[in-house]
Amino acid sequence: MGKVTGFLEIDRRDRKYLPASDRIRNYKEFVIPLGREATRDQAARCMNCGIPYCHNGCPVNNQIPDWNDLVYNDKWQEALTNLHSTNNFPEFTGRVCPAPCEASCTLNLEDTPVTIKSIECAIVDKGWQEGWIKPEPSEIKTGKRIAIIGSGPAGLAAAQQLARVGHEVHVYERQGRAGGLLRYGIPDFKMEKSHVDRRVAQMEAEGVVFHYGVNVGIDIEPEELLAQYDAVGLTGGAEKPRDLPIEGRDLDGIQFAMDFLPQQNRRNGGEPDTTGNARPILAGGKHVVVIGGGDTGSDCIGTSVRQGALSVTQLEIMPQPPEKENKALTWPNWPLKLRTSSSHEEGAERDFAVGTVKFTGENGKVKTLHCTKVDASFKPIAGSEFQLKADLVLLAMGFVSPVHDGLLAKLGVKLDGRGNVEANMLAYKTSVEKVFAAGDMRRGQSLVVWAIREGRQMAHAIDKHLMGETILPR
């Protein structure tokens, strides 16, 4: 695939960022594309591997060597067709996916993997620029009606797949716009929302009907949907955040990340806050502490910096991972190693193996975190206590499960041991007849690319359940 000797002749070259001093002045994307010829050169580095482990690393099973070869041979439109055959929204994954495919690349054994994520993004961006991406409405109508509850990546992928085989698909979203965490969780500087908007427009042209501001289980009873539709897909995500119930938690200024991040995204989009949390959460002029070392914590850092925080500190209870993995032990799997995001580079201190013992404040407002270093069992280490000044604390410790009140409780679906909706990865059926589940609501907190995969596979399962057979891929 690609150029046979390309990996020997061409050095790895990836997209660059605008300087931090420039990019923190706004919320726009700051990744600088490589350009057509440079992207073609990087595609030429793809080797003709006997076993392309990148297939295993990619949750949607993108046919990576194939579209690399097509890009190298200047067959961009064919590359786009191939890419869309496994991934409905490559412009999403080309921006926010951590690229497990690159970790699985054979060239990663020498730390020079093919720039798969950048090539994927270049293919789909060119597709939009050239006008190759158009609505694909079905020429047949099956007469079957399907409701999808939740318009995150899993719901959008399922809805598009089902509409394209002729079903009447209605998407119910409790927020004012579609996208789920793509719109309200991921900051605009990582992915501008115009990418979501044009996919929604494409889907509407394909016949998908969106119902906004409808909280199923509150505004409409689930039984009504079960009576109106032949199948219901649950793709509402895992929205219950992990809390930190320690002394002082009730002080003003301690907020969940997912109360903080959506507010800024709504400001950027000119969208009113309809969540009932009308009070602005702002980092400007404050010492900010982010508790949680994952992607959400990183997003809180970048947003806080852009809002004008005086300082940002990120705490992680896990020990600091190694800067470089032992590839003999980890490859081709996703390795545990220290990862520095663009937001970290914009100005943040990080500390690992830290537990927060309590919060204290003045006049009801948080002022200080009382912390300690912890051992491998997360037990406090005597004599390691320290304090951190904080005017705003953002809890970014992940999500524990979908919200059970309302929809799930009224449906009475069976939950697994972690509180997620129980459904296997073959039929995606829940314990309730006609009800299916996919994405974070089924598997727990995960990646956008996993949500797209599960949405596609649930669509396959629903179509087969309704029609007895299906042409949709798994």
Side-chain angles (χ1 to χ4, degrees):
M1 295 296 174
K3 187 178 182 181
V4 176
T5 56
F7 70 99
L8 296 172
E9 300 171 11
I10 303 169
D11 291 335
R12 173 183 163 93
R13 179 185 169 196
D14 208 349
R15 295 174 291 185
K16 301 294 185 184
Y17 298 153
L18 289 173
S21 58
D22 293 338
R23 66 185 190 241
I24 64 172
R25 299 176 186 275
N26 56 61
Y27 291 88
K28 296 179 180 179
E29 290 181 11
F30 51 79
V31 177
I32 304 171
L34 285 178
R36 178 172 178 149
E37 288 305 314
T39 301
R40 181 175 176 271
D41 285 344
Q42 292 305 303
R45 299 184 65 247
C46 187
M47 303 162 65
N48 189 10
C49 296
I51 299 176
Y53 284 101
C54 55
H55 284 188
N56 301 71
C58 177
V60 292
N61 303 123
N62 279 337
Q63 298 171 31
I64 296 162
D66 299 75
W67 43 255
N68 275 331
D69 183 60
L70 290 166
V71 168
Y72 171 63
N73 286 293
D74 271 328
K75 298 178 180 179
W76 288 77
Q77 192 165 2
E78 290 182 41
L80 178 67
T81 300
N82 186 300
L83 182 53
H84 272 144
S85 72
T86 56
N87 186 352
N88 294 67
F89 315 118
E91 66 270 41
F92 301 168
T93 51
R95 285 170 168 81
V96 301
C97 185
C101 53
E102 293 189 20
S104 298
C105 178
T106 304
L107 286 174
N108 192 40
L109 286 167
E110 296 186 353
D111 289 318
T112 59
V114 175
T115 55
I116 300 168
K117 178 178 172 179
S118 294
I119 297 168
E120 174 185 43
C121 199
I123 293 170
V124 68
D125 284 354
K126 184 173 179 59
W128 283 110
Q129 292 162 9
E130 298 291 338
W132 297 333
I133 301 175
K134 299 175 181 178
E136 300 175 28
S138 175
E139 295 180 357
I140 62 168
K141 298 297 178 184
T142 65
K144 302 294 185 180
R145 304 178 77 236
I146 302 163
I148 301 294
I149 304 175
S151 67
L156 291 176
Q160 185 166 63
Q161 292 291 94
L162 290 165
R164 286 180 173 179
V165 290
H167 299 306
E168 181 183 335
V169 182
H170 292 252
V171 178
Y172 289 83
E173 171 55 56
R174 66 183 178 86
Q175 303 288 355
R177 296 177 185 174
L181 288 185
L182 289 168
R183 182 177 296 277
Y184 296 106
I186 295 172
D188 285 35
F189 55 80
K190 287 177 69 174
M191 194 186 81
E192 294 176 10
K193 305 315 171 221
S194 58
H195 303 297
V196 180
D197 292 336
R198 61 189 179 188
R199 281 298 183 182
V200 170
Q202 180 194 35
M203 292 172 64
E204 288 175 334
E206 293 169 349
V208 177
V209 179
F210 288 86
H211 303 268
Y212 298 117
V214 181
N215 190 346
V216 180
I218 304 297
D219 302 319
I220 183 173
E221 293 300 315
E223 289 78 6
E224 292 185 45
L225 296 189
L226 289 174
Q228 295 175 30
Y229 294 95
D230 298 293
V232 174
L234 306 179
T235 55
E239 295 185 310
K240 184 178 179 180
R242 182 173 284 106
D243 206 347
L244 187 60
I246 59 175
E247 182 181 342
R249 170 64 180 87
D250 58 344
L251 288 168
D252 187 22
I254 304 172
Q255 303 282 351
F256 287 117
M258 288 311 299
D259 289 330
F260 171 67
L261 294 172
Q263 281 195 1
Q264 187 58 55
N265 283 8
R266 286 191 173 92
R267 290 186 200 103
N268 294 343
E271 183 182 351
D273 192 338
T274 57
T275 62
N277 186 12
R279 187 176 167 195
I281 307 169
L282 296 167
K286 297 177 181 177
H287 296 285
V288 179
V289 176
V290 178
I291 301 179
D295 290 338
T296 302
S298 174
D299 294 343
C300 287
I301 292 171
T303 302
S304 296
V305 169
R306 282 162 179 76
Q307 288 184 357
L310 293 177
S311 68
V312 185
T313 304
Q314 184 179 35
L315 303 180
E316 168 59 64
I317 198 169
M318 299 291 288
Q320 182 171 332
E323 292 189 9
K324 183 174 171 57
E325 73 272 29
N326 183 343
K327 295 188 189 296
L329 294 176
T330 63
W331 185 86
N333 297 317
W334 182 253
L336 175 65
K337 66 177 182 179
L338 183 65
R339 302 178 191 276
T340 300
S341 72
S342 59
S343 293
H344 292 136
E345 296 170 348
E346 291 167 2
E349 296 293 328
R350 286 194 280 178
D351 201 355
F352 294 86
V354 173
T356 305
V357 179
K358 68 176 180 178
F359 304 106
T360 57
E362 298 174 7
N363 301 318
K365 297 183 178 180
V366 69
K367 290 296 179 184
T368 306
L369 273 73
H370 298 260
C371 305
T372 178
K373 301 294 282 188
V374 298
D375 60 20
S377 301
F378 309 124
K379 302 296 184 183
I381 298 173
S384 66
E385 299 84 1
F386 65 97
Q387 297 180 8
L388 280 175
K389 183 176 182 180
D391 306 302
L392 175 63
V393 179
L394 299 173
L395 304 180
M397 302 176 294
F399 303 89
V400 294
S401 72
V403 175
H404 296 158
D405 295 339
L407 171 63
L408 299 185
K410 290 182 177 180
L411 273 175
V413 291
K414 186 177 180 181
L415 305 177
D416 65 17
R418 296 184 300 153
N420 302 316
V421 178
E422 186 171 280
N424 65 42
M425 292 181 67
L426 291 175
Y428 285 87
K429 290 182 179 179
T430 72
S431 59
V432 176
E433 183 64 24
K434 297 202 305 186
V435 179
F436 300 74
D440 289 6
M441 184 169 267
R442 190 205 70 83
R443 68 179 290 114
Q445 174 188 334
S446 191
L447 304 174
V448 169
V449 67
W450 272 107
I452 294 172
R453 172 196 171 115
E454 293 219 347
R456 288 169 60 89
Q457 291 190 336
M458 185 183 74
H460 169 101
I462 290 175
D463 188 40
K464 188 174 182 179
H465 171 78
L466 294 177
M467 308 303 292
E469 59 183 8
T470 182
I471 60 171
L472 288 174
R474 269 190 53 79

